[in-house]
Amino acid sequence: MRVVSLVPSLTEAVARTVPGALAGATDWCTHPAGLDVVRVGGTKNPRTGRILSLAPDLVVANEEENRAPDLDALRAAGVEVLVTEVRTVPQALTELDRVLAACGAASRPRWLDEAEAAWSALPPPPEPRATAVVPIWRRPWMVLGRDTFAGDVLARLGVDHLYAAHAERYPRIPVGELRAARPDVVVLPDEPYRFTADDGPEAFPGLPCALVDGRYLTWYGPSLAEAPRVLGAALRAARR
């Protein structure tokens, strides 16, 4: 198999499980460290000519991260494209099984079994459940809205984000409104916007802020095995 991945988390999953199959990946595919494959541009602007030059047997993509016109162009050139849809943790586990099998994995990897076990073993969250706002961008401020994988991750850890019923998946909300919502915690990931201790918390005076590794919040791959422990610790620490 020759595989090109257009999704960073799927790149990590394929590289860890079927390392010889991966021929190309996006510029944003940062894991595993030292990944040595041809780079094919960004997730939103892949260089289709370069992808075709690699003669892939399969391109793996995601319906949210990648644009339909790019995937259609690859299909029109005769390339098989596998498109995933991931909105929940169980869906992520199922889609990872499907992707890895399509990429030639001989068996289910141990890390995927460990990820499933880690999420299945979570105890019931304490009551009352915590509330959160989860910015993913600033200038303008954007937050998690309805039907997102990251929202499902937090919900399984006992944290309900306040815009889960919004009509949009990533609504633009003025920061004053976010502050006025008075969540129990503001969750600030380091991607897609790189929130840091000096860039983000100052916008929410008096509110607990949890700076979290975006890979554990938004990636569906090997990081899923550690995500409950790492994110749970960060959320608890912010609220002490």
Side-chain angles (χ1 to χ4, degrees):
M1 288 291 293
R2 288 178 60 77
V3 178
V4 172
S5 172
L6 302 182
V7 185
S9 52
L10 296 181
T11 296
E12 184 180 15
V14 175
R16 280 276 302 271
T17 309
V18 200
L22 197 64
T26 76
D27 300 341
W28 300 102
C29 294
T30 56
H31 288 75
L35 181 65
D36 185 17
V37 297
V38 175
R39 300 296 174 158
V40 298
T43 58
K44 302 297 186 188
N45 56 344
R47 298 169 63 179
T48 55
R50 176 166 288 187
I51 294 170
L52 295 175
S53 74
L54 295 173
D57 299 299
L58 180 69
V59 171
V60 293
N62 175 263
E63 50 87 30
E64 178 177 31
E65 291 200 50
N66 308 119
R67 301 186 317 136
D70 296 319
L71 306 183
D72 290 342
L74 292 170
R75 291 190 185 98
V79 175
E80 182 179 353
V81 180
L82 187 161
V83 182
T84 58
E85 180 180 325
V86 177
R87 306 291 176 89
T88 68
V89 172
Q91 195 175 24
L93 298 170
T94 298
E95 289 286 64
L96 284 164
D97 259 330
R98 183 166 74 103
V99 168
L100 295 174
C103 292
S107 59
R108 198 173 199 250
R110 177 179 295 181
W111 64 259
L112 190 50
D113 288 334
E114 292 171 350
E116 186 165 16
W119 285 97
S120 297
L122 281 175
E127 296 289 346
R129 294 171 63 86
T131 60
V133 294
V134 190
I136 59 164
W137 203 258
R138 67 183 300 175
R139 306 182 192 96
W141 287 91
M142 299 174 68
V143 300
L144 290 187
R146 65 169 180 84
D147 196 24
T148 65
F149 172 72
D152 186 66
V153 164
L154 291 172
R156 291 171 188 275
L157 296 173
V159 177
D160 297 324
H161 70 93
L162 295 177
Y163 294 90
H166 197 281
E168 299 176 20
R169 296 187 66 214
Y170 302 102
R172 298 184 181 191
I173 307 292
V175 69
E177 182 177 327
L178 298 180
R179 287 193 290 257
R182 303 303 299 175
D184 294 319
V185 63
V186 180
V187 180
L188 297 169
D190 63 4
E191 61 174 80
Y193 186 90
R194 188 173 181 80
F195 288 106
T196 68
D198 300 318
D199 185 359
E202 83 289 344
F204 301 96
L207 293 176
C209 291
L211 291 161
V212 302
D213 186 332
R215 179 166 164 264
Y216 292 109
L217 181 63
T218 63
W219 286 38
Y220 34 90
S223 57
L224 278 173
E226 294 294 325
R229 178 183 62 82
V230 174
L231 289 175
L235 294 167
R236 289 190 297 272
R239 299 184 62 206
R240 285 180 187 147

